Amino acid sequence: MDFELNYSVEQQEFRQEVRQWLKDSLDHEFLKTLPPDQEDYAEAHYEYGRQVRRMLGERGWLAPTWPKEYGGGGLTVAHQIVIEEELAEYDLPAVGDLGLTLGAPAINAWGNEEQKQRFLPPILKGEVVVWQVFTEPGAGSDLASLKTRAVEDGDDFVINGNKIFVGQKYYADYLYTLAVTDPEAPRHNNIGAFIIPAGTEGVTVHRLDLIAGGGKRAIFFDDVRVPKENLIGGKGKGWWVAQTTLELEHGGGGRVTPRNRLVDQFLKYAKSAKLNGQVISADSRKQEILVDAYIQANVIRLLGLRNYWQRNAGVRQTYEGSQLSMNNKVFMPRLASMMLEVLGPYALTKDATWGPARGEIENWQRQSTATHPGGTIEIQKVIMARSMGLSRGRG
Ligand SMILES: Cc1cc2nc3c(=O)[nH]c(=O)nc-3n(C[C@H](O)[C@H](O)[C@H](O)COP(=O)(O)OP(=O)(O)OC[C@H]3O[C@@H](n4cnc5c(N)ncnc54)[C@H](O)[C@@H]3O)c2cc1C
C-alpha cells in the first residue's frame, strides 16, 4: 500500500508562497532561543507563539479548511497539507491551544449559531488560546466519573470543583471544561460542556512540578459564575460534546507532519558527534538502533497520514485513531531508551556544551514519560477492543 503524497502544480506553487512567507515573516534568531521544555519558556517565547498564530490566522492559514465565515481560510485539504508540511520545518513555540484542534470541532458540531459566531472566529484566527480542562484528580481514564458541579442560578451556572494536568505555563483566554449539571441523571447524561472566560472570578491556576515538564497546571473553580449561553450542546449533553473532542484527541483526525524532528536531530547528532574517539553512528550496534528509530517514526507518520486521509475522505473509522495514538505512545519511551543507549550519559544533560541538540534529547528523557494526554496506552487498547466488537460496545 502506498500512502505517500503526490503534489499538483498548484500545490507546488502554493508551497513556494508559504515557504517564502515563513522565511520572510518569522524571527529566526529569536526561534533559536526557544527552550525544549515549555516550563522553561520566558513569557516572550509564549507571546511570540501567540503572535505567529495571529499572523497565520490573518492569512487563513491557521485553520485553512474551515469556512471563511467562521474565521477559517476557506481553502482545500491540499492547501492544508502544504501549510502543515512547511510549518513542520520550524520549531515554533507551543502555546497549548487545544481550542483549535479539539475545541472548535466540538463547538461546531454541538454549539448553536450564536455560539459558533462568538467562539469560532477568535479561535480559528489565533486571537485566543483555549485550554482543554477535562481531567480531575479522580477522573482521568474514567472521565465520566468527574465531580465538578455546575448548579443553575438565574441566568448563570455556578461551578465548583478542581481539575488537574491541564493548561500550560502561561495564561489562556478560555477554559473548555466539563461539569455535572444533572446529578440525578444516568451516567453520561449528567454532564454539561462549558466555555469559561479564564479570567472569571473564582478561577485559580496552580503550577504542577512534573518530571515530564510541559508546564501543566491544576485549576480550582470556586463559585465561578458562567452565563448559561456558554453551555455548549445543552444540559446533560456534555459527554457527547466531549466525545467529538476525544475522538480527535485519540488520533482520529490523523496528521500530515512529514517528519519527526526529534528523530531527525538524533540521527544528525549521531552522524556528526564522536564518542570515545569514534563517530557515534560508525558503531554497528548503534546503527541498528538508529535505523530502528527511523523506521518506527515513519510507521507512525504513515498511520497519521492514513487517518488524515480517512477523516477528510469521510471514511468511517473504528480502531484507527487509537491505533495511531497507541503506536506513538509505545514509541515515545522506546525512543528515549534508544537515545540513551546510543548517546550514553550525554542524553541526560542539557548542558550548553555537552547536551545534544540544545537539550532536546535530555528533555525527551523526561517528556517521553507523559504518555497520558488523550488516554494512556491501556485506554487506547480498550477503545480499540470496543470499536472492533471485542469488548462491550461504546456508550
Ligand atoms: C503531560 C500531560 C498533559 C495532559 N494534558 C491534559 C489536558 O490538556 N487536558 C486534560 O483535560 N487532561 C490532560 N491530561 C490528563 C490525562 O488525560 C490523564 O492523565 C489521563 O487521562 C490518565 O488519567 P489519570 O492520570 O487520572 O490516570 P488513571 O486514569 O488513574 O490511570 C492510572 C493507570 O491505570 C490504567 N487504567 C485506568 N483505567 C484502565 C482500564 N479501564 N483498563 C486498563 N488500564 C486502566 C491507566 O492506563 C494508568 O496506567 C494530561 C496529562 C499529562 C500527564
Side-chain angles (χ1 to χ4, degrees), residues 110 117 240 251 297:
W110 294 92
Q117 295 288 351
W240 312 107

Side-chain angles (χ1 to χ4, degrees), residues 98 132-135 140-141 165-167 216 370 372-374 376 378-379 382:
L98 293 174
Q132 177 205 27
V133 181
F134 287 4
T135 304
S141 304
F165 300 133
V166 295
K216 286 289 134 181
H372 317 64
T376 61
E378 291 75 22
I379 292 305
V382 170

Side-chain angles (χ1 to χ4, degrees), residues 174-187:
Y174 287 110
L175 310 175
Y176 166 32
T177 200
L178 303 172
V180 174
T181 48
D182 301 79
E184 306 308 325
R187 186 177 156 90

Side-chain angles (χ1 to χ4, degrees), residues 323-336:
Q323 182 193 33
L324 165 64
S325 178
M326 186 198 75
N327 273 277
N328 189 40
K329 285 163 189 260
V330 168
F331 180 53
M332 285 169 63
R334 219 181 131 219
L335 176 61

Side-chain angles (χ1 to χ4, degrees), residues 96 98 102 130-143 163-168 176-178 208 210 212-217 246 249-250 329 367 369-382 386 392:
L98 293 174
L102 303 179
V130 184
W131 288 349
Q132 177 205 27
V133 181
F134 287 4
T135 304
E136 297 185 2
S141 304
D142 185 12
L143 184 60
K163 303 280 179 176
I164 197 164
F165 300 133
V166 295
Q168 218 196 6
Y176 166 32
T177 200
L178 303 172
L208 291 176
L210 300 183
K216 286 289 134 181
R217 298 296 185 249
L246 295 176
E249 197 176 15
H250 292 152
K329 285 163 189 260
Q367 200 189 317
T369 58
T371 52
H372 317 64
T376 61
I377 292 170
E378 291 75 22
I379 292 305
Q380 302 308 326
K381 290 181 186 171
V382 170
R386 283 184 193 168
R392 76 170 161 83

Side-chain angles (χ1 to χ4, degrees), residues 43-308:
E43 194 163 357
H45 293 117
Y46 177 73
E47 279 304 331
Y48 187 63
R50 292 191 64 142
Q51 186 187 326
V52 172
R53 292 171 70 78
R54 281 194 298 272
M55 282 157 48
L56 289 166
E58 270 170 28
R59 301 183 75 83
W61 290 358
L62 190 63
T65 57
W66 281 79
K68 280 189 173 172
E69 61 168 314
Y70 290 137
L75 296 167
T76 64
V77 170
H79 289 103
Q80 180 169 28
I81 289 171
V82 170
I83 292 167
E84 294 206 14
E85 286 182 340
E86 291 305 314
L87 282 172
E89 292 298 317
Y90 297 93
D91 266 330
L92 297 173
V95 299
D97 179 36
L98 293 174
L100 177 66
T101 47
L102 303 179
I107 295 168
N108 192 40
W110 294 92
N112 58 37
E113 193 52 38
E114 184 276 322
Q115 290 172 329
K116 290 188 204 180
Q117 295 288 351
R118 187 153 51 106
F119 293 122
L120 290 179
I123 294 175
L124 301 180
K125 287 186 172 171
E127 291 162 0
V128 295
V129 166
V130 184
W131 288 349
Q132 177 205 27
V133 181
F134 287 4
T135 304
E136 297 185 2
S141 304
D142 185 12
L143 184 60
S145 293
L146 62 90
K147 297 277 184 294
T148 294
R149 185 78 167 89
V151 178
E152 284 183 86
D153 184 22
D155 293 336
D156 301 327
F157 281 93
V158 178
I159 300 187
N160 281 284
N162 57 313
K163 303 280 179 176
I164 197 164
F165 300 133
V166 295
Q168 218 196 6
K169 181 171 181 181
Y170 294 104
Y171 58 94
D173 301 282
Y174 287 110
L175 310 175
Y176 166 32
T177 200
L178 303 172
V180 174
T181 48
D182 301 79
E184 306 308 325
R187 186 177 156 90
H188 295 153
N189 294 300
N190 56 346
I191 293 168
F194 295 88
I195 305 287
I196 306 179
T200 307
E201 199 182 334
V203 175
T204 1
V205 180
H206 288 267
R207 178 189 164 134
L208 291 176
D209 272 321
L210 300 183
I211 193 168
K216 286 289 134 181
R217 298 296 185 249
I219 294 187
F220 293 81
F221 296 127
D222 292 300
D223 290 333
V224 175
R225 280 200 168 265
V226 186
K228 281 184 174 165
E229 56 262 27
N230 287 25
L231 173 71
I232 307 290
K235 272 179 73 188
K237 293 285 189 289
W239 181 252
W240 312 107
V241 179
Q243 289 312 302
T244 303
T245 293
L246 295 176
E247 189 94 355
L248 292 167
E249 197 176 15
H250 292 152
R255 51 189 186 204
V256 284
T257 317
R259 57 172 37 93
N260 182 320
R261 288 176 60 81
L262 191 62
V263 171
D264 280 357
Q265 291 188 32
F266 178 35
L267 298 188
K268 189 172 160 205
Y269 187 78
K271 280 197 278 187
S272 60
K274 287 185 174 173
L275 202 60
N276 302 326
Q278 177 181 264
V279 174
I280 295 171
S281 64
D283 179 302
S284 57
R285 166 76 190 125
K286 292 183 176 177
Q287 281 171 10
E288 264 187 49
I289 299 172
L290 292 166
V291 170
D292 200 11
Y294 180 81
I295 292 171
Q296 285 302 316
N298 275 286
V299 167
I300 291 162
R301 179 179 69 82
L302 291 174
L303 287 173
L305 204 50
R306 179 204 58 189
N307 289 7
Y308 184 82

